[in-house]
Amino acid sequence: MISRRRFIEQTSLMAVSAVLANCAFAGIGGANEDALTPDPKLLERAKALLNKAPFIDTHNDLPSMFMETKAGDLTSFDMSKVQPTLCADIPRLREGCVGAQYWSVFVESGTQKTRTSLHEALREFDVALRFIHSGTELEQARTADDIERIHQAGRIACLLGVEGGHMIENSPAALRTFHELGARYMTLTHWGNVDWADAATDEPERQGLTEFGKRVVKEMNRLGMFADISHVSGDTMRDTLGVTRAPVIFSHSNAFAIDPHPRNVPDDVLRMMPKNGGVVHVNFIGAFVSPKNAEFEQKQKTAVRNLKSVLGTTSRRPSKSSPSAKKMERKLASSQPCAGA
């Protein structure tokens, strides 16, 4: 397993490599140049459309990168300039014509074991909100009307998404507090199960949503928060669609029929979406796009099962004096060179 920061860093480097390769091919000339050069008329039309209807990105990990690289110190970065070590900055948001951005509030699923999920989540809310309020280019949005107003004013509308139901620590009060802070969706699970819902990448325990999990979804409906069913198991997807009274979203998922990764959406669930009125927002990470990933995933699962059979499933709870996973990640991050160095 690699840290989330390392995963983001590696995928960012792959994207940069692809851009550099395209530039190299473009320099050769000939047919490649024609294939890689955008049609100016199409670009002009796309930008005109995005000026009228804001492009909405439902998942951006920048708050986590602030925490994991500089422990939330925003003064370390001039976000008005391109920041190669981060996944976003103002110039690139502008270049991509982003009209509304959901910033992801994320902490590792493992914080459930140390009962620190809620505490760590509040730290991420803090850094995300400080960033949103740090300049004139961004403005926090709480409603659809806010998004339209902010977009028309030439600023980027900012919303928050909670990536993992473990962060409410089984407390509807925490869910309501997150909503007050500006969260407008919550991903029901992350990579690990929670007490009330199964994740796509963990062993099934609940066979979907528990009764408490169904109450969580209904409370999100009441508050006006999307139930985000990326990361959850197929049964959790189906249970959520069965109980919700409002549209759901997949904040970053793809089609299982194209790439059978457990994170992706089965066809029967996709067929349920039109009636619900929800939206599947796709992502572009290779593991969730390429069908060649299935063989690798199978080998990985086999290796994990073999390890579990040898080591058993019991583990010691870390002592209070043990450094937290987040502290360890930040310590490692401070000793590593910047991406692309």
Side-chain angles (χ1 to χ4, degrees):
M1 297 293 289
I2 61 174
S3 73
R4 182 182 180 85
R5 175 181 181 271
R6 186 63 180 156
F7 179 72
I8 295 170
E9 183 179 275
Q10 287 179 351
T11 53
S12 298
L13 284 172
M14 285 189 286
V16 171
S17 298
V19 171
L20 291 175
N22 283 344
C23 291
F25 282 126
I28 294 172
N32 283 327
E33 184 175 2
D34 293 336
L36 295 169
T37 302
D39 184 331
K41 291 183 179 179
L42 290 178
L43 276 179
E44 184 179 350
R45 174 161 172 72
K47 288 180 179 180
L49 289 171
L50 291 173
N51 282 331
K52 295 179 180 178
F55 173 73
I56 301 176
D57 180 0
T58 51
H59 190 83
N60 191 307
D61 286 310
L62 185 61
S64 292
M65 298 197 80
F66 283 141
M67 292 298 298
E68 294 168 5
T69 56
K70 295 294 182 180
D73 179 12
L74 298 180
T75 64
S76 300
F77 303 100
D78 181 356
M79 298 304 288
S80 67
K81 299 178 180 178
V82 173
Q83 297 294 323
T85 62
L86 299 177
C87 61
D89 47 58
I90 299 301
R92 287 184 289 173
L93 290 170
R94 289 299 194 188
E95 184 180 1
C97 298
V98 175
Q101 179 67 72
Y102 276 89
W103 303 106
S104 179
V105 173
F106 166 82
V107 302
E108 298 285 355
S109 299
T111 54
Q112 295 178 94
K113 297 179 181 178
T114 54
R115 305 295 181 189
T116 56
S117 300
L118 179 55
H119 173 81
E120 293 292 329
L122 290 175
R123 295 180 68 215
E124 287 243 352
F125 268 103
D126 171 66
V127 73
L129 289 169
R130 283 191 287 117
F131 171 58
I132 292 168
H133 301 314
S134 65
T136 59
E137 298 277 353
L138 310 176
E139 184 178 339
Q140 187 173 11
R142 294 176 176 272
T143 66
D145 288 342
D146 283 346
I147 293 175
E148 292 189 2
R149 173 183 57 78
I150 294 167
H151 179 67
Q152 290 171 4
R155 292 187 290 275
I156 299 170
C158 295
L159 304 98
L160 299 172
V162 178
E163 192 184 9
H166 57 285
M167 282 178 265
I168 67 171
E169 293 193 358
N170 299 335
S171 169
L175 177 68
R176 290 188 284 271
T177 300
F178 288 176
H179 178 264
E180 284 294 315
L181 290 172
R184 289 300 178 264
Y185 77 70
M186 183 173 75
T187 319
L188 301 187
T189 71
H190 193 247
W191 283 82
N193 298 338
V194 296
D195 289 339
W196 42 273
D198 283 340
T201 44
D202 203 348
E203 296 296 326
E205 295 178 319
R206 324 294 176 198
Q207 283 67 55
L209 288 175
T210 66
E211 288 304 312
F212 178 78
K214 294 175 182 178
R215 291 199 297 274
V216 169
V217 172
K218 290 178 180 178
E219 181 64 358
M220 293 172 72
N221 289 167
R222 188 189 72 80
L223 291 169
M225 292 177 68
F226 287 115
D228 173 24
I229 47 178
S230 284
H231 276 288
V232 307
S233 71
D235 285 338
T236 302
M237 294 175 192
R238 297 176 188 99
D239 282 354
T240 303
L241 286 163
V243 73
T244 185
R245 301 186 299 273
V248 303
I249 65 167
F250 288 85
S251 64
H252 54 307
S253 294
N254 296 67
F256 186 88
I258 294 174
D259 178 7
H261 189 287
R263 275 279 320 279
N264 287 339
V265 192
D267 277 358
D268 69 295
V269 175
L270 288 175
R271 284 191 287 267
M272 298 170 73
M273 292 295 286
K275 183 178 179 180
N276 169 263
V279 178
V280 180
H281 299 264
V282 301
N283 71 65
F284 300 97
I285 294 174
F288 310 127
V289 176
S290 172
K292 295 180 181 179
N293 183 64
E295 182 180 354
F296 169 79
E297 289 289 334
Q298 189 56 50
K299 289 179 180 178
Q300 185 182 52
K301 286 181 180 179
T302 301
V304 170
R305 280 197 298 268
N306 291 341
L307 280 173
K308 285 183 177 180
S309 66
V310 172
L311 300 176
T313 57
T314 58
S315 61
R316 293 188 302 168
R317 184 181 297 275
S319 66
K320 291 183 179 179
S321 61
S322 299
S324 70
K326 283 290 179 183
K327 287 181 180 178
M328 289 294 290
E329 285 178 6
R330 287 195 290 273
K331 184 176 180 181
L332 287 170
S334 66
S335 65
Q336 291 175 346
C338 295

